[in-house]
Amino acid sequence: MVTSAIAQDCPSVCTVLLLDPPADKQLEIQCTPNHPCDITAYLSTLLPNMTDLKRLTVRGTTMKEIPEAVCNLRAIRHLVLSTNTIERLDPGCFQNMTELLILRLS
Protein backbone atom coordinates (compact mmCIF):
# COMPACT_ATOMS: atom_id res chain seq x y z
CA MET A 1 0.00 0.00 0.00
CA VAL A 2 1.33 3.47 -0.85
CA THR A 3 -0.21 6.59 0.61
CA SER A 4 0.80 10.13 -0.30
CA ALA A 5 -0.53 13.21 1.45
CA ILE A 6 0.44 16.71 2.47
CA ALA A 7 1.53 17.12 6.09
CA GLN A 8 -1.13 19.14 7.88
CA ASP A 9 1.31 21.24 9.88
CA CYS A 10 3.19 22.33 6.75
CA PRO A 11 0.52 22.25 4.06
CA SER A 12 2.41 23.77 1.17
CA VAL A 13 5.97 22.60 1.73
CA CYS A 14 5.94 18.94 2.85
CA THR A 15 4.95 15.66 1.30
CA VAL A 16 4.39 12.45 3.22
CA LEU A 17 4.89 9.02 1.71
CA LEU A 18 3.94 5.85 3.59
CA LEU A 19 5.07 2.53 2.18
CA ASP A 20 3.55 -0.44 3.94
CA PRO A 21 4.98 -3.67 2.54
CA PRO A 22 4.45 -6.66 4.86
CA ALA A 23 7.91 -6.76 6.43
CA ASP A 24 9.29 -3.23 6.12
CA LYS A 25 6.95 -0.34 6.91
CA GLN A 26 8.48 2.99 5.83
CA LEU A 27 7.56 6.63 6.31
CA GLU A 28 9.22 9.45 4.39
CA ILE A 29 8.57 13.14 4.99
CA GLN A 30 10.24 15.59 2.63
CA CYS A 31 9.90 19.32 3.18
CA THR A 32 11.09 22.12 0.95
CA PRO A 33 14.34 23.50 2.40
CA ASN A 34 14.45 27.09 3.65
CA HIS A 35 10.79 27.15 4.65
CA PRO A 36 9.78 27.34 8.31
CA CYS A 37 8.42 23.89 8.96
CA ASP A 38 8.66 22.22 12.37
CA ILE A 39 6.62 19.04 12.11
CA THR A 40 7.18 17.92 15.69
CA ALA A 41 3.45 18.06 16.49
CA TYR A 42 2.62 16.11 13.34
CA LEU A 43 5.14 13.38 14.21
CA SER A 44 3.90 13.29 17.82
CA THR A 45 0.40 12.53 16.56
CA LEU A 46 1.33 10.11 13.78
CA LEU A 47 4.16 7.97 15.17
CA PRO A 48 2.62 6.50 18.35
CA ASN A 49 0.32 4.47 16.08
CA MET A 50 3.25 3.19 14.01
CA THR A 51 5.06 0.97 16.51
CA ASP A 52 6.15 -1.43 13.73
CA LEU A 53 7.83 1.28 11.63
CA LYS A 54 11.19 0.06 10.27
CA ARG A 55 12.39 3.07 8.26
CA LEU A 56 11.83 6.76 8.92
CA THR A 57 13.17 9.60 6.80
CA VAL A 58 12.48 13.23 7.69
CA ARG A 59 14.25 15.89 5.62
CA GLY A 60 14.14 19.64 5.20
CA THR A 61 12.39 20.69 8.43
CA THR A 62 13.19 23.25 11.11
CA MET A 63 13.07 20.72 13.96
CA LYS A 64 15.49 21.82 16.67
CA GLU A 65 15.55 18.43 18.39
CA ILE A 66 14.40 14.89 17.76
CA PRO A 67 10.79 14.52 18.92
CA GLU A 68 10.05 12.06 21.72
CA ALA A 69 7.74 10.17 19.36
CA VAL A 70 10.77 9.34 17.20
CA CYS A 71 12.78 8.27 20.26
CA ASN A 72 10.00 5.80 21.14
CA LEU A 73 10.30 3.86 17.86
CA ARG A 74 11.76 0.63 19.22
CA ALA A 75 11.52 -1.38 15.95
CA ILE A 76 13.20 1.27 13.79
CA ARG A 77 16.14 0.05 11.69
CA HIS A 78 16.91 3.03 9.45
CA LEU A 79 16.56 6.58 10.78
CA VAL A 80 17.45 9.42 8.42
CA LEU A 81 17.06 12.94 9.80
CA SER A 82 19.39 14.77 7.43
CA THR A 83 18.97 18.36 6.17
CA ASN A 84 17.07 19.45 9.28
CA THR A 85 18.07 22.10 11.81
CA ILE A 86 18.61 19.74 14.74
CA GLU A 87 20.67 21.50 17.39
CA ARG A 88 20.22 19.22 20.37
CA LEU A 89 20.35 15.46 20.83
CA ASP A 90 18.87 13.76 23.88
CA PRO A 91 21.49 11.11 24.69
CA GLY A 92 18.79 8.68 25.84
CA CYS A 93 16.84 8.99 22.59
CA PHE A 94 18.58 6.09 20.87
CA GLN A 95 18.81 3.88 23.95
CA ASN A 96 15.69 1.80 23.23
CA MET A 97 16.29 1.56 19.47
CA THR A 98 17.82 -1.90 19.73
CA GLU A 99 17.19 -2.70 16.03
CA LEU A 100 18.79 0.52 14.73
CA LEU A 101 21.32 -0.16 11.95
CA ILE A 102 21.57 3.16 10.13
CA LEU A 103 21.45 6.67 11.62
CA ARG A 104 21.98 9.75 9.44
CA LEU A 105 21.89 13.19 11.02
CA SER A 106 24.02 15.31 8.65
Side-chain angles (χ1 to χ4, degrees):
M1 176 175 116
V2 177
T3 305
S4 182
I6 301 298
Q8 294 174 359
D9 292 344
C10 309
S12 64
V13 296
C14 295
T15 55
V16 178
L17 179 65
L18 175 62
L19 302 171
D20 196 5
D24 199 16
K25 184 180 252 183
Q26 304 175 42
L27 176 64
E28 183 171 331
I29 300 173
Q30 178 71 47
C31 298
T32 305
N34 303 319
H35 287 276
C37 178
D38 182 349
I39 60 166
T40 302
Y42 181 76
L43 292 173
S44 297
T45 302
L46 182 67
L47 293 180
N49 299 319
M50 302 182 78
T51 57
D52 58 343
L53 191 66
K54 302 294 185 205
R55 296 172 183 253
L56 175 63
T57 301
V58 179
R59 293 186 175 131
T61 75
T62 58
M63 290 189 303
K64 300 294 183 204
E65 59 188 319
I66 299 172
E68 184 178 342
V70 172
C71 297
N72 292 333
L73 294 172
R74 295 175 182 246
I76 200 80
R77 291 185 180 163
H78 297 175
L79 180 58
V80 177
L81 300 173
S82 55
T83 65
N84 293 296
T85 57
I86 296 173
E87 299 173 351
R88 180 174 123 28
L89 291 176
D90 177 357
C93 180
F94 308 106
Q95 188 172 6
N96 293 321
M97 294 181 183
T98 57
E99 302 294 320
L100 188 63
L101 301 172
I102 295 174
L103 174 63
R104 292 193 179 121
L105 298 172
S106 61

